[in-house]
């Protein structure tokens, strides 16, 4: 299994500011993903973090708002830019080690509140 | 595209009751199916998974069987405990080379003593 650490675990942010969330995995993984979970809602995929290249964003999410880095096989960051109260969510990092029927693991999430 | 339809909540049961949370899916190919659990104030934990038709995933007394003929993956537990109170998410994904997950809406379960 993979152990995933996310920082920060919680934060209260001012409107208009940006915050970078870090995701560190204890082993090399093939794929890393970022999800958002708005209050009382299910999880929605933001993007796939590709090592050494630009992230692949899902419909409704753009790089200017959610820039992502993935410098190596164990680390990724997600920045939430120019935050508004609508960005108050749990942001979760997820990893896959590849292969058919592979298990996908999640970090404990970063709980952001924008005021 | 892929989709997951999950039983609406919230669900409230008494301790030791039998639990079923329904989950059906629409997908192309041969996806893997998962149940994740989110305890209050915590992140997502994998509860169980099944990777092919007729597989049964099980963990902590929970079970779910991958039924291709009915495109279902219902979660069951014979005797629930207060500690099982959480939100349960059914998810689909894991086609080889595609590890993006599609989640159901989640079912909030509350167990009362």
């Amino acid at each position: 299994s993979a152990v995933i650490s996310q920082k920060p675990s919680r934060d209260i942010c001012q409107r208009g500011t940006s915050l970078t969330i870090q995701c560190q995995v204890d082993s090399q993984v093939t794929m890393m993903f970022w999800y958002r979970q708005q209050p009382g809602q299910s999880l929605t995929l933001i993007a796939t973090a590709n090592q050494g290249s630009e992230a692949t964003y899902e419909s409704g999410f753009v790089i200017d708002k959610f820039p992502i880095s993935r410098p190596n096989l164990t680390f990724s960051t997600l920045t939430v830019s120019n935050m508004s109260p609508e960005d108050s969510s749990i942001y979760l990092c997820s990893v896959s080690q590849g292969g058919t029927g592979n298990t996908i693991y999640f970090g404990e999430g970063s709980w952001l509140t924008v005021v | 595209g892929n989709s997951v339809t999950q039983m609406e909540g919230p669900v409230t049961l008494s301790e030791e009751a039998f639990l079923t949370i329904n989950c059906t899916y629409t997908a192309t190919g041969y996806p893997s199916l998962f149940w994740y659990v989110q305890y209050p104030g915590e992140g997502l934990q994998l509860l169980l998974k099944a990777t092919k038709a007729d597989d049964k995933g099980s963990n902590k007394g929970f079970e779910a069987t991958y039924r291709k003929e009915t495109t279902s993956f219902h979660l069951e537990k014979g005797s629930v405990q207060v500690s099982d109170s959480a939100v349960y998410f059914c998810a689909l994904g894991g086609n080889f080379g595609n590890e993006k997950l599609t989640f159901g809406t989640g079912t909030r379960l509350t167990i009362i003593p």
Side-chain angles (χ1 to χ4, degrees):
Chain A
S1 65
V3 177
I4 304 168
S5 301
Q6 275 188 243
K7 292 181 183 179
S9 56
R10 292 179 186 272
D11 209 340
I12 299 173
C13 308
Q14 295 296 317
R15 187 192 302 249
T17 63
S18 299
L19 182 79
T20 296
I21 302 165
Q22 298 180 2
C23 177
Q24 178 73 55
V25 192
D26 68 343
S27 57
Q28 293 187 345
V29 293
T30 308
M31 305 185 79
M32 298 181 77
F33 306 89
W34 287 98
Y35 287 82
R36 180 176 74 181
Q37 184 182 19
Q38 294 177 300
Q41 304 295 314
S42 188
L43 283 79
T44 302
L45 180 64
I46 298 172
T48 303
N50 301 309
Q51 196 251 332
S53 65
E54 204 167 274
T56 304
Y57 289 84
E58 298 298 306
S59 176
F61 297 96
V62 295
I63 187 171
D64 290 347
K65 178 66 176 177
F66 297 103
I68 288 170
S69 78
R70 188 175 174 195
N72 57 50
L73 293 174
T74 64
F75 186 78
S76 177
T77 67
L78 168 75
T79 299
V80 186
S81 303
N82 187 24
M83 285 186 283
S84 67
E86 293 71 35
D87 295 318
S88 298
S89 296
I90 306 171
Y91 293 87
L92 295 110
C93 174
S94 168
V95 305
S96 165
Q97 290 172 314
T100 304
N102 178 62
T103 298
I104 295 116
Y105 297 95
F106 284 82
E108 293 196 345
S110 297
W111 300 54
L112 302 189
T113 302
V114 184
V115 297
Chain B
N2 293 344
S3 68
V4 176
T5 302
Q6 191 174 336
M7 177 176 169
E8 291 276 340
V11 173
T12 302
L13 295 172
S14 297
E15 204 166 20
E16 299 183 2
F18 183 85
L19 168 71
T20 300
I21 301 177
N22 290 339
C23 172
T24 57
Y25 68 90
T26 303
T28 55
Y30 302 94
S32 294
L33 298 170
F34 305 85
W35 277 100
Y36 284 86
V37 59
Q38 188 174 37
Y39 296 103
E42 299 186 13
L44 227 60
Q45 299 178 26
L46 177 67
L47 180 60
L48 54 84
K49 69 174 185 178
T51 59
K52 61 183 187 297
D54 299 326
D55 264 4
K56 178 185 283 188
S58 61
N59 186 25
K60 299 182 180 179
F62 291 89
E63 293 182 340
T65 302
Y66 188 159
R67 301 283 188 204
K68 193 166 174 63
E69 64 276 13
T70 55
T71 61
S72 65
F73 192 56
H74 305 321
L75 183 68
E76 296 182 336
K77 186 174 185 181
S79 176
V80 292
Q81 305 300 313
V82 172
S83 56
D84 294 326
S85 298
V87 180
Y88 292 81
F89 292 94
C90 184
L92 175 155
N95 261 348
F96 186 84
N98 175 14
E99 311 299 348
K100 296 189 291 187
L101 292 179
T102 301
F103 282 87
T105 53
T107 302
R108 181 174 298 278
L109 174 67
T110 301
I111 307 300
I112 54 177

